[in-house]
Amino acid sequence: MAGKNHTTLPEFLLLGFSDLKALQGPLFWVVLLVYLVTLLGNSLIILLTQVSPALHSPMYFFLRQLSAVELFYTTNIVPRTLANLASPHPQAISFQGCAAQMYVFIVLGISECCLLTAMAYDRYVAICQPLHYSTLLSPRACMAMVGTSWLTGIITATTHASLIFSLPFPSHPIIPHFLCDILPVLRLASAGKHRSEISVMTATVVFIMIPFSLIVTSYIRILGAILAMASTQSRRKVFSTCSSHLLVVSLFFGTASITYIRPQAGSSVTTDRVLSLFYTVVTPMLNPIIYTLRNKDVRRALQHLVKRQSPLP
């Protein structure tokens, strides 16, 4: 019997927001609306960058990949979150289901880090080395960067998920969260917890800080190039091509840093859930809005598409 109990895989219980019953109803409709806007916005970005000849450049190729990641990212989390919000009780998730959700979550999160870094590199080459742009960002080079982004995400997710889900868990584990995120699941492990938490969090910080450092380095070089320009109008025009990406980077890395790098001693379950809700649900909705509102090429392509689809008067 002892051997049988040891090999039985536990079923996790996702607490979600079941302890905040007054908020569950309103939160359900807010999350559903945000999810629908996210699906529409990112699908529109993918469509525009695919069909508009003006958006067939490396920058928009990376943007299309980013929008695809955002679609998968939210779809991995939001449907189950909505099911949890619709129920007054915590919802069960199987051991395999929890592992799969975390695996996909890490793959997409790390891939997004790398894609944002590739987009920063694109802006650096376009502004600081324009004569080498077509060589350094050839179609083959862009495909290699995207492939590396996905491969990095897969390797990271495989090592993280393997380490975390090889640990022993209690027979009836309750996750005080609405998704199988790294820290809440890791804290449930009943053995090897401290060593594993240090290993996983060190790797997580590294995979957040390395791409962020590369992005900061790119923009320091870009800032130097902008300040060297004689014309104020040229400076403004060049900076406007970077502003959308800077906003998206600030949103993504800002919330990720607060979630994974801040001291855990002063954190609360409610704070963790609110932060996670922002970067898993709200941020993917804001990205296409930022690129649509702040990017003239995307706005122009959208207007052209609408005119083409509208019936003639």
Side-chain angles (χ1 to χ4, degrees):
M1 279 299 285
K4 184 178 178 182
N5 288 339
H6 181 72
T7 57
T8 300
L9 296 178
E11 187 175 61
F12 293 94
L13 207 60
L14 283 172
L15 183 64
F17 294 90
S18 58
D19 58 328
L20 304 171
K21 296 190 185 300
L23 291 177
Q24 277 192 273
L27 205 53
F28 174 88
W29 293 109
V30 170
V31 171
L32 177 60
L33 178 62
V34 170
Y35 181 51
L36 293 175
V37 173
T38 301
L39 293 180
L40 177 63
N42 284 290
S43 298
L44 186 60
I45 291 290
I46 292 170
L47 175 65
L48 288 174
T49 55
Q50 190 71 46
V51 303
S52 174
L55 303 182
H56 288 177
S57 67
M59 180 172 73
Y60 297 111
F61 170 75
F62 291 131
L63 178 58
R64 181 162 68 248
Q65 304 302 316
L66 182 67
S67 291
V69 166
E70 299 285 30
L71 284 177
F72 295 136
Y73 190 73
T74 51
T75 302
N76 178 47
I77 294 163
V78 173
R80 184 173 288 277
T81 302
L82 289 172
N84 287 346
L85 288 169
S87 171
H89 307 293
Q91 296 291 294
I93 181 171
S94 67
F95 183 90
Q96 295 90 339
C98 189
Q101 187 184 59
M102 184 187 290
Y103 183 86
V104 174
F105 176 73
I106 297 172
V107 168
L108 296 172
I110 296 298
S111 297
E112 183 163 352
C113 281
C114 296
L115 282 172
L116 289 171
T117 307
M119 294 172 81
Y121 177 69
D122 167 82
R123 291 298 81 209
Y124 160 73
V125 175
I127 294 166
C128 300
Q129 300 188 45
L131 297 178
H132 301 286
Y133 187 81
S134 59
T135 304
L136 294 175
L137 283 154
S138 64
R140 179 178 290 183
C142 291
M143 287 298 295
M145 282 187 267
V146 170
T148 302
S149 298
W150 283 101
L151 183 61
T152 305
I154 290 168
I155 292 171
T156 309
T158 302
T159 53
H160 274 49
S162 299
L163 175 61
I164 293 170
F165 287 95
S166 65
L167 297 171
F169 289 92
S171 55
H172 300 289
I174 299 175
I175 303 174
H177 215 292
F178 61 88
L179 76 149
C180 291
D181 202 353
I182 296 170
L183 278 178
V185 174
L186 190 58
R187 288 174 187 148
L188 290 175
S190 57
K193 177 180 168 183
H194 184 66
R195 187 180 70 250
S196 299
E197 185 166 344
I198 290 173
S199 302
V200 171
M201 291 317 300
T202 300
T204 303
V205 169
V206 166
F207 278 110
I208 290 174
M209 293 311 298
I210 288 178
F212 183 69
S213 300
L214 292 172
I215 290 170
V216 169
T217 302
S218 295
Y219 275 106
I220 288 172
R221 304 289 292 273
I222 289 169
L223 182 61
I226 291 174
L227 293 176
M229 293 176 181
S231 167
T232 305
Q233 187 176 357
S234 297
R235 291 180 188 175
R236 200 171 294 158
K237 183 179 179 182
V238 169
F239 182 76
S240 68
T241 66
C242 305
S243 58
S244 299
H245 181 252
L246 275 171
L247 274 173
V248 171
V249 165
S250 300
L251 281 171
F252 181 84
F253 284 98
T255 52
S257 299
I258 292 170
T259 302
Y260 294 107
I261 300 177
R262 82 187 196 280
Q264 295 299 317
S267 65
S268 69
V269 170
T270 303
T271 302
D272 290 343
R273 283 180 293 180
V274 169
L275 284 170
S276 296
L277 197 65
F278 187 83
Y279 75 76
T280 58
V281 179
V282 178
T283 301
M285 176 197 70
L286 293 177
N287 291 352
I289 293 174
I290 290 169
Y291 274 102
T292 304
L293 293 179
R294 299 189 63 85
N295 189 294
K296 290 180 181 178
D297 292 335
V298 175
R299 287 206 309 271
R300 214 173 283 127
L302 178 59
Q303 290 167 358
H304 181 70
L305 181 66
V306 170
K307 286 178 183 177
R308 203 166 60 184
Q309 298 301 318
S310 299
L312 293 174

